[in-house]
Amino acid sequence: NAGVMQNPRHLVRRRGQEARLRCSPVKGHSHVYWYRQLPEEGLKFMVYLQKENIIDESGMPKERFSAEFPKEGPSILRIQQVVRGDSAAYFCASSPWSSYSSYNSPLHFGNGTRLTVT
Amino acid sequence: AQTVTQSQPEMSVQEAETVTLSCTYDTSESDYYLFWYKQPPSRQMILVIRQEAYKQQNATENRFSVNFQKAAKSFSLKISDSQLGDAAMYFCAANYGGATNKLIFGTGTLLAVQP
């Protein structure tokens, strides 16, 4: 079984460009989470999506950032007009359901996309 | 605020020795889940061990075990018989419940294993 697949692994963008990060969850998982890891920091929650719905975007900046998880295809994290402060590793994680019992449905993480803004 | 704190930015251990990584957390919830993740240079996030707060018994996974002190809100990770492959960043994380199942992470401890 393939795990969570993220691409690209590395992405370089100039200031003002758009960055699109893709995440294919584990087959059969319908819940996707995006986390951001700034240098020397832990992972910070950004957004939680189910198929075609954003459930919790409390950790996502209000401007320039958006996320989607369409009925078909991967989840996309989109950053418009990138700035140097957006440089980070972005991780996607998936789970089969959003029960409180995360012990039984732990998050499966991808290997992340490292975004560098020059 | 619900937080997770790792106060050791870096630790070092000799191969075959034992090391303990510290983690404290803060929540008013009575039930929650705690995790340790390992992140090697490849950036992959690997679940090492997990603990349910209502379980008294400390979790164990082979050479990895935890010391869970609920009253003190402490959740330390002990690695026994350390191996070179254990060298990585280790993150403590908590799921305090709610509908989103999201994790709150500490800032990590970088573990070096000396041959």
Side-chain angles (χ1 to χ4, degrees), chain A residues 9-10 33 35 37 42-43 45 48 56 58 91 98-103 106-107 109 111-114, chain B residues 31-33 35 37 39 42-45 47 50 52 91 95 97-103 105-107:
Chain A
R9 186 138 172 82
H10 302 277
Y33 302 75
Y35 288 80
Q37 184 178 26
L43 279 69
F45 169 78
Y48 162 50
D56 181 350
S58 59
F91 287 88
S98 177
S99 74
Y100 175 60
S101 179
S102 65
Y103 186 89
L107 297 184
F109 281 88
N111 286 356
T113 292
R114 180 171 297 283
Chain B
D31 197 15
Y32 43 87
Y33 299 82
F35 306 84
Y37 280 88
Q39 187 181 45
S42 66
R43 279 207 316 263
Q44 184 182 8
M45 292 292 288
L47 178 63
R50 53 195 174 188
E52 292 182 86
F91 291 101
N95 180 331
T100 59
N101 204 26
K102 65 187 179 189
L103 293 174
F105 284 86
T107 51

Side-chain angles (χ1 to χ4, degrees), chain A residues 61-83:
Chain A
K62 294 288 186 287
E63 298 179 353
R64 302 189 297 107
F65 285 73
S66 62
E68 63 177 15
F69 187 20
K71 187 176 180 182
E72 301 291 337
S75 175
I76 305 288
L77 179 68
R78 182 182 177 206
I79 311 172
Q80 295 178 290
Q81 298 174 337
V82 296
V83 300

